[in-house]
Amino acid sequence: MAEETTGPSDNMKAFREIFAKAKNIVVLSGAGISAESGVPTFRGAGGLWRTFQAQQLATPEAFADNPSLVWEFYHYRREVMLSKTPNPAHDAIAGMEKRLKPQGRSVVVITQNIDELHKRAGSDNILELHGSLFKTRCTKCQDIKENYNSPIVPALKDKGAPDPNAEDARIPEDQLPRCKECGGLLRPHVVWFGEALDVQVLNQAQQEMAKCDLCLLVGTSSVVYPAAAFAPMLAMRGVPVAEFNLEATMVTDKMKFHFEGKCGELLPQAVARHDTEP
Ligand code: BV8
Ligand code: ZN
């Protein structure tokens, strides 16, 4: 008879007892945590822009081939964020960080998202594994700058419409975002497919995970590496991992807990003040 593999528990009381004792909590988040803010996820219905999947445009090859098209894509996603706000899931995580700090307990958010909603919710301790929509990097001198301008350049005004038959704006390179320091062409400061993650960010993430005694895995399909390997690695080390997702994912069977539902509804109750807290 095959050995009985006990799948993840959905016992919130058991989770809350572990949560009450946790000293270093790591939150690993993906696009699903921003879904209830109205930000389309990658694999959900809204995952298409024009006739492309994000994976086809989020590459250095696409940018080299047609920087105007890739900038239209990122301009569109920047503009979308102007009308979006953090949802109760982001707020619950930021609130937990603030509440636990005076108890000498740490919370760090390690996010795959580039929408900055964790930051806007008030989280302080954030590692952006894949960069940010609101940072640019010069392709020539590597200068990195924050940029919240809407539009980022006049030539992109009213461009980037997502519908499949919107035509390519074909903006000349000299009218695309340019570096103030050296005049070089700017790119979004995000990690594209096939690009390595920032070594410093990765090292910081590893350090945080080395000391973590509870991990919340929120709204990620755990498909994209190396981020997808983090929670399974923690689980292998015996760290309790609680997955919050609408559905089971590639890693669910390795998790200690799996809570199925909208994270905007599940997280506030999961991380609410425990009666053992001061
Ligand atoms: C690298 C920034 C090497 C850009 C992103 C074959 C096998 C294994 C790996 C590879 C392979 N072929 C290629 C690779 C490597 C590749 C990869 O993993 N590909 C995948 C597709 C197989 N990885 C890379 O290329 C990485 N780099 O490997 O470099 C290297 C090393 C050294 C030197 C040189 C090179 C770089 C990956 C980073 C790519 N950039 N983002 C941008 O955003 O434009 S990835 C992007 O997609 C996101 O950041 C995120 O990481 C990913 C999307 O995943 P999720 O966030 O999980 O979102 P998704 O839509 O998939 O899922 C949403 C989930 O939420 C679902 O589960 C859903 O059920 C749930 N949900 C929805 N609503 C809710 C909810 N849950 C709760 N409540 C709700 N309301
Ligand atoms: Zn420059």
Side-chain angles (χ1 to χ4, degrees):
M1 147 83 153
E3 187 226 347
E4 174 72 3
T5 47
T6 47
S9 151
D10 65 354
N11 182 326
M12 184 56 84
K13 191 171 172 307
F15 165 78
R16 296 256 308 146
E17 276 156 25
I18 294 174
F19 168 63
K21 298 189 189 73
K23 293 258 174 298
N24 298 296
I25 298 171
V26 163
V27 179
L28 290 173
S29 70
I33 199 167
S34 299
E36 288 159 85
S37 297
V39 183
T41 64
F42 285 76
R43 281 164 189 75
L48 275 185
W49 179 80
R50 298 218 179 132
T51 58
F52 303 97
Q53 286 249 331
Q55 283 93 307
Q56 295 168 283
L57 294 165
T59 69
E61 294 77 16
F63 188 72
D65 178 50
N66 189 341
S68 166
L69 183 70
V70 173
W71 262 116
E72 278 198 88
F73 175 51
Y74 284 92
H75 164 69
Y76 167 72
R77 291 168 70 189
R78 288 162 55 96
E79 296 296 300
V80 160
M81 289 317 298
L82 298 178
S83 64
K84 308 298 178 210
T85 54
N87 69 60
H90 298 105
D91 297 339
I93 291 164
M96 165 175 59
E97 179 184 346
K98 282 191 183 30
R99 195 184 77 238
L100 269 50
K101 196 167 179 170
Q103 302 171 34
R105 301 162 68 193
S106 78
V107 174
V108 62
V109 175
I110 301 178
T111 187
Q112 298 170 78
N113 300 340
I114 62 174
D115 60 27
E116 293 200 356
L117 285 178
H118 282 296
K119 182 174 170 183
R120 290 173 54 192
S123 285
D124 294 325
N125 212 351
I126 302 172
L127 291 174
E128 292 176 323
L129 289 177
H130 297 155
S132 165
L133 275 175
F134 301 100
K135 282 186 183 138
T136 59
R137 185 169 83 237
C138 177
T139 57
K140 222 160 123 199
C141 73
Q142 306 310 315
D143 179 58
I144 296 169
K145 284 243 182 354
E146 281 193 355
N147 183 311
Y148 292 91
N149 299 338
S150 163
I152 186 165
V153 286
L156 276 165
K157 184 163 176 38
D158 304 329
K159 301 293 180 201
D163 66 72
N165 32 28
E167 61 178 69
D168 183 342
R170 294 218 165 284
I171 299 167
E173 265 197 40
D174 61 345
Q175 292 172 37
L176 288 175
R178 307 300 305 195
C179 178
K180 297 233 177 329
E181 315 301 328
C182 78
L185 176 63
L186 295 180
R187 58 167 278 179
H189 182 52
V190 300
V191 180
W192 280 330
F193 286 95
E195 292 188 322
L197 276 66
D198 179 297
V199 172
Q200 261 170 326
V201 171
L202 265 183
N203 288 342
Q204 281 178 284
Q206 302 294 6
Q207 277 169 25
E208 294 294 347
M209 289 190 286
K211 65 178 195 181
C212 124
D213 54 5
L214 174 62
C215 172
L216 311 184
L217 182 65
V218 188
T220 180
S221 59
S222 289
V223 164
V224 173
Y225 287 82
F230 291 177
M233 237 164 38
L234 289 169
M236 209 112 73
R237 242 183 51 211
V239 174
V241 184
E243 182 179 39
F244 296 82
N245 200 304
L246 289 180
E247 59 192 15
T249 67
M250 328 261 282
V251 301
T252 300
D253 56 352
K254 298 189 184 78
M255 303 295 111
K256 185 171 183 68
F257 296 99
H258 175 76
F259 296 109
E260 201 138 309
K262 291 183 169 182
C263 55
E265 293 164 12
L266 288 171
L267 267 182
Q269 41 175 306
V271 302
R273 186 189 161 286
H274 190 271
D275 48 23
T276 58
E277 289 183 44

